Amino acid sequence: RKEVEQDPGPFNVPEGATVAFNCTYSNSASQSFFWYRQDCRKEPKLLMSVYSSGNEDGRFTAQLNRASQYISLLIRDSKLSDSATYLCVVSKAAGNKLTFGGGTRVLVKP
Amino acid sequence: EPEVTQTPSHQVTQMGQEVILRCVPISNHLYFYWYRQILGQKVEFLVSFYNNEISEKSEIFDDQFSVERPDGSNFTLKIRSTKLEDSAMYFCASSSGTGFYEQYFGPGTRLTVT
């Protein structure tokens, strides 16, 4: 089983719509969770850390379900600039290595 | 806004040659990392570095790889004898060691081994 699994997509999303996707992780000892976005051939950019209680940052909402070992990301009012690959990332402890999922590709279309 | 920087942006080398990839982490950060991403694949951890020593390394980080922080600002990754399969994008990252220990990535060095 992969350590972090994501639906590769692509998710084709009309501009202004809401899109949600999640990832599952295999290591129940994971303590830190993040969403990064990656544009084609660019570096991963931190989108948000995921809090145990879930958190929101503008149009982005992240949720963590420790019992089922999955993390979700919801994007509201999608913009063309949201087109990217979204990387689910986990870590066993603060400061430890990051383990990346393969990414979910999102394409926002006019 | 402070950024991680990396040089060169692209390095082409012949198999068997040594390469040094350079990174300047964010200035007040304490934790440093190297990752790589082979084209079309996921980002993979190579090594982490804290308090002037390696804190963790992956199976990929074998004897051909080494890291150094030669001064207060640079963080380097050396590959002693490059192989074709070392062709990848190499990302440096750094973390302040506070909060969620978020890691911030540099723009990467594309290494092509011919």
Side-chain angles (χ1 to χ4, degrees), chain B residues 69-87:
Chain B
R69 188 155 160 82
D71 53 44
S73 58
N74 291 286
F75 180 50
T76 62
L77 174 70
K78 183 194 289 187
I79 309 175
R80 260 181 278 282
S81 177
T82 50
K83 307 188 212 28
L84 294 176
E85 54 265 36
D86 293 328
S87 295

Side-chain angles (χ1 to χ4, degrees), chain B residues 46-109:
Chain B
L46 291 177
V47 66
S48 58
F49 193 85
Y50 171 70
N51 203 25
N52 284 317
E53 60 183 27
I54 290 174
S55 44
E56 193 176 2
K57 58 184 181 179
S58 72
E59 290 176 357
I60 303 167
F61 194 88
D62 62 21
D63 291 345
Q64 293 301 312
F65 291 85
S66 61
V67 289
E68 207 175 39
R69 188 155 160 82
D71 53 44
S73 58
N74 291 286
F75 180 50
T76 62
L77 174 70
K78 183 194 289 187
I79 309 175
R80 260 181 278 282
S81 177
T82 50
K83 307 188 212 28
L84 294 176
E85 54 265 36
D86 293 328
S87 295
M89 184 74 104
Y90 288 80
F91 295 110
C92 172
S94 69
S95 169
S96 66
T98 60
F100 281 79
Y101 286 57
E102 290 92 343
Q103 294 182 26
Y104 296 91
F105 285 73
T109 293

Side-chain angles (χ1 to χ4, degrees), chain A residues 34 36 38 41-44 46 49-51 94-98 100-102, chain B residues 33 35 37 39 42-43 45 56 89 91 100-107 110:
Chain A
F34 309 92
Y36 281 74
Q38 186 174 33
R41 294 182 170 242
K42 301 283 190 182
E43 76 273 24
L46 180 65
S49 306
V50 184
Y51 304 166
N96 278 24
K97 68 176 186 181
L98 299 179
F100 285 77
Chain B
Y33 309 83
Y35 294 83
Q37 186 174 31
L39 190 63
K42 63 180 183 177
V43 178
F45 168 77
E56 193 176 2
M89 184 74 104
F91 295 110
F100 281 79
Y101 286 57
E102 290 92 343
Q103 294 182 26
Y104 296 91
F105 285 73
R110 179 165 299 284

Side-chain angles (χ1 to χ4, degrees), chain B residues 6-11 89 108-111:
Chain B
Q6 289 185 243
T7 54
S9 56
H10 190 192
Q11 173 98 45
M89 184 74 104
T109 293
R110 179 165 299 284
L111 177 65

Side-chain angles (χ1 to χ4, degrees), chain A residues 73-87:
Chain A
L73 182 68
L74 181 145
I75 308 173
R76 276 186 304 279
D77 187 24
S78 298
K79 312 287 184 198
L80 296 176
S81 56
D82 294 334
S83 296
T85 297
Y86 289 85
L87 306 175

